[in-house]
Amino acid sequence: MSRPADRAAPAFYEEAYARASSSVARIRDGLPSFPMPELRVQRVGQLDANLLDQELADLLAQPVTAALRRASPSLERRYAAEIRMMLRLILYKFSIYDRRASYGAMLQNLRYRNEWAAPTTRDAPLSRMQLALYPLCSIIAPYSLAKAHAYMSAHQYDQAPRESAAFVAYALWRHGQRLWNLASLVNFGLFLWNGKYRTITDRLLGMRLVYANRALHRHVSFEFLNRQLVWNALTEFLLFLLPLVRPQRVLRRIAQLPSHPAVLGIVYDVLPRSVSRRMGLQVDESDGQVRMARWIKSQRLGRYWYLPDECCPLCFERLEREAGVYTDTPPSPPPLRRAAIPEDGRSMRLPSETQDLAAPQPRRRLDHRAESGSDDKAAHRAERLAARRAARHGVTAAPGAKRPTLHDTSPMGIKYMDALIVTPYRTLPCATHDHACQYCYVCIAETLRDDNVQLDLQQVGGWPCLRCGEYVWGAERVPV
């Protein structure tokens, strides 16, 4: 028998709805009494807010201290702590007192909430007592303790007798400082655990940082973070690379790029004279063009051509620098005559460091005349060659004047005896040209191993000798 058409079948959920309707109504009526979910505020945002507040205080203190330093340096040193305290009080007035949040907390979407208020009150504002005690505990109290510690240190309270009141006060201050550090450590551990109170002052006064706008999500700009990481890696690489860079060598490399005299003249006119001199730029007296100093053909001898043969020119140059009589004007380069460099590579040739310097060295042949000549004849020949070279280059002596000896004194008041050669070495190729150019082993070794001298060897053939002006590329022991 079929069911009548006017009688509809009940829905499949009506029976379940009828059973649960009483429970749903009871839950709806009890929603206002449900406890609120625990508020979780990011700990990193609270710590960043503190760092931003400190940076802001430092930025405001810098111009104030700079202005006071110009007025009176002693005033800035004496009242630095007071200035910083006043700045922090001013910042507190215009931030926490007026807006319930510091400037760093505003940037992190945070503000203070009164935790002492009733639990039903959401985001209760700070009370007057909290606003009055916060600067007293966080600004004035640390300033007073710092001044007290400075006073006790200046009056040596720690050196006072143990029974005196001064030592007792100093001991109490030390114990109080240790207890405060321990309490700060415990509070920071609790802050990392629940994220409620950042400092001891906030915990004591019931001031908690919460979100000012809970609907505002915290977004981190990964583009900014990537840029910061790139710049951080770049700066670290530069800090690693800069100690390896030789500024003088870089300037010389830059100066060699525009080799045309007109371009060098523009650089010489634009740059200061000290920078141009360091780069090696010099005006050629023959045609008035600006060229590198090592490329200018000079008609003069080395800077210390007049020194006795027993003196080391490098030692004498060092004595002039120490005495303050050395001029900044560099000596003119020698004539551009390059000597034959050995085929074993363009590198300065020095004796082995393990060689016994005190051991006698075998006599080497310079030419067939050096074998038959005595020491007196060699000295006389060297003196005649020096005089002939000086006359050829326009260096003349006064009538009746003679070459200074080792026991004489220079016009600048420096004794030639103080620059006596120790372990004599002669330079190459000066020795092959019958020039008595001798130096101390340590002086010539340090000079030839310098990076700038190695660069000169590759470009012009060596380092200009301070006696004869030849381009030096090596040194050897003077035969005994």
Side-chain angles (χ1 to χ4, degrees), residues 246-268:
R246 305 278 182 150
Q248 188 174 2
R249 192 168 185 176
V250 172
L251 290 176
R252 288 187 177 185
R253 289 289 188 182
I254 296 175
Q256 291 168 7
L257 295 178
S259 58
H260 196 273
V263 179
L264 294 179
I266 296 175
V267 176
Y268 183 81

Side-chain angles (χ1 to χ4, degrees), residues 63-228:
V64 176
T65 54
L68 291 178
R69 192 182 302 113
R70 292 180 178 274
S72 176
S74 60
L75 186 66
E76 183 266 335
R77 289 193 299 268
R78 290 174 55 187
Y79 299 103
E82 287 76 7
I83 294 172
R84 190 174 184 85
M85 182 191 66
M86 293 301 299
L87 289 175
R88 294 187 62 185
L89 288 175
I90 294 174
L91 289 175
Y92 168 78
K93 168 61 176 63
F94 291 102
S95 59
I96 298 178
Y97 189 85
D98 293 343
R99 303 184 181 182
R100 296 171 50 191
S102 62
Y103 289 104
M106 294 178 193
L107 294 176
Q108 297 293 329
N109 188 29
L110 299 173
R111 67 178 178 181
Y112 279 108
R113 183 178 73 177
N114 185 7
E115 292 292 313
W116 290 350
T120 57
T121 305
R122 182 178 179 181
D123 294 346
L126 299 177
S127 62
R128 292 183 177 273
M129 185 178 64
Q130 290 174 327
L131 294 175
L133 292 179
Y134 184 83
L136 183 63
C137 298
S138 62
I139 301 177
I140 300 177
Y143 163 76
S144 303
L145 293 175
K147 296 298 289 185
H149 179 238
Y151 180 83
M152 288 187 292
S153 299
H155 291 78
Q156 298 181 355
Y157 276 24
D158 55 338
Q159 304 295 334
R162 292 184 175 272
E163 295 79 9
S164 61
F167 186 82
V168 173
Y170 182 79
L172 291 176
W173 183 90
R174 289 186 58 187
H175 289 300
Q177 186 69 20
R178 292 175 181 175
L179 292 176
W180 178 263
N181 294 335
L182 180 61
S184 300
L185 179 61
V186 174
N187 179 80
F188 186 73
L190 294 175
F191 169 74
L192 295 179
W193 179 55
N194 55 22
K196 285 187 176 182
Y197 300 103
R198 183 183 55 186
T199 61
I200 298 178
T201 304
D202 295 348
R203 186 176 296 275
L204 294 177
L205 299 180
M207 300 170 57
R208 182 187 178 186
L209 285 173
V210 296
Y211 289 116
N213 186 3
R214 299 187 181 184
L216 182 64
H217 297 283
R218 176 183 174 90
H219 295 282
V220 179
S221 177
F222 291 101
E223 181 182 358
F224 176 75
L225 292 178
N226 293 334
R227 190 179 306 168
Q228 289 293 106

Side-chain angles (χ1 to χ4, degrees), residues 28-59:
R28 186 182 292 112
D29 296 338
L31 283 178
S33 62
F34 280 7
M36 296 179 60
E38 183 181 0
L39 179 61
R40 296 183 179 273
V41 183
Q42 290 186 344
R43 299 162 181 80
V44 64
Q46 302 181 51
L47 296 177
D48 288 344
N50 188 23
L51 293 178
L52 291 173
D53 292 334
Q54 294 178 4
E55 291 293 335
L56 179 60
D58 294 337
L59 290 176

